[in-house]
Structure formats: structure tokens, C-alpha cells
Amino acid sequence: MVAVLCEREFLRRELVPRTRPAGCSESWVAYLARCIRQRFCREAPPIVAGKACSLFVDAAGQLLACGKGAAVGHGDAEIEYPVPAPVTVMARIRVRSVAAGQNHSLALSSDGRVYSWGTATGS
């Protein structure tokens, strides 16, 4: 049971807890399950909305976006994209979660890298 939990729920082996904290009375399986639940609660959702854009992460980790402005990530800030489409520059990057601000967007890759695009000024 422990091996299955670790293999399915922790993306990298180094994220698996090696020991329980001192004084922990839970079984090893219960402790791992609690760690997994807490990790999922801390992660950003795979769907977010900014001022004029929406970002989505599909089951394969592909980033899709729709809307208008630099935060969409499709290259031309003046064109409106009414239907979610893959963000081409992120095509080879597996995305875990996304965040959107007023004029910028962020993506967290499965290897822990953060990508950002958009503008730092309001319009």
C-alpha cells in the first residue's frame, strides 16, 4: 500500500517523506495520505481566470488559454481568442498548475520551474 501511494501521488521520489514527525501517532499509510491531501490543498487549481483571459491545464499537462491581451500567451495581445487553444511556446512543457493576475499569467511546470508572461503595467 505504501509503495502504491508513493508511486502514484508523489511526482518525484525526493518529495516522499522519509520519516514521520516525532510524536506522530498515525500509521505510515495514514500519515502519507494526510501529506497527499495537504499537498493537493496547497496547489493552485488547473483552471484560473485573469482580467481578460482564462487558463486551463488538461490531464496531459498541456496549457490552454483563451481571452485577449498579453496574459493569454498566444503572442498577439490585440487578437481575441474566444476558444481555449494550446499555448504554443509552452507545448513541450508539462504544466502542473496556473495562476493569473490582471495583466500577467504564471505556470508551474511538473519539474518545478515557474514561467511568466504578460505585462507588468495595467491598461
Side-chain angles (χ1 to χ4, degrees):
M1 178 65 116
V2 171
V4 171
L5 273 174
C6 292
E7 184 178 313
R8 290 189 60 204
E9 299 299 337
F10 291 96
L11 295 175
R12 297 187 318 253
R13 188 171 284 291
E14 64 268 16
L15 297 177
V16 178
R18 302 254 185 253
T19 59
R20 291 178 290 174
C24 178
S25 61
E26 297 172 296
S27 71
W28 185 239
V29 172
Y31 175 69
L32 284 175
R34 184 166 54 87
C35 290
I36 292 164
R37 282 192 310 273
Q38 289 173 340
R39 192 187 83 215
F40 284 133
C41 291
R42 285 192 306 263
E43 290 181 354
I47 300 172
V48 296
K51 177 182 175 185
C53 74
S54 296
L55 304 171
F56 312 86
V57 179
D58 69 11
Q62 181 180 32
L63 179 63
L64 305 140
C66 62
K68 184 177 180 182
V72 176
H74 290 310
D76 190 338
E78 298 304 315
I79 297 176
E80 184 166 350
Y81 299 87
V83 177
V87 177
T88 308
V89 297
M90 298 289 285
R92 293 178 176 252
I93 299 164
R94 186 170 179 210
V95 176
R96 278 182 50 196
S97 60
V98 287
Q102 183 169 340
N103 296 303
H104 70 283
S105 298
L106 302 165
L108 175 65
S109 69
S110 61
D111 65 359
R113 295 179 188 200
V114 176
Y115 296 84
S116 67
W117 59 95
T119 61
T121 60
S123 57

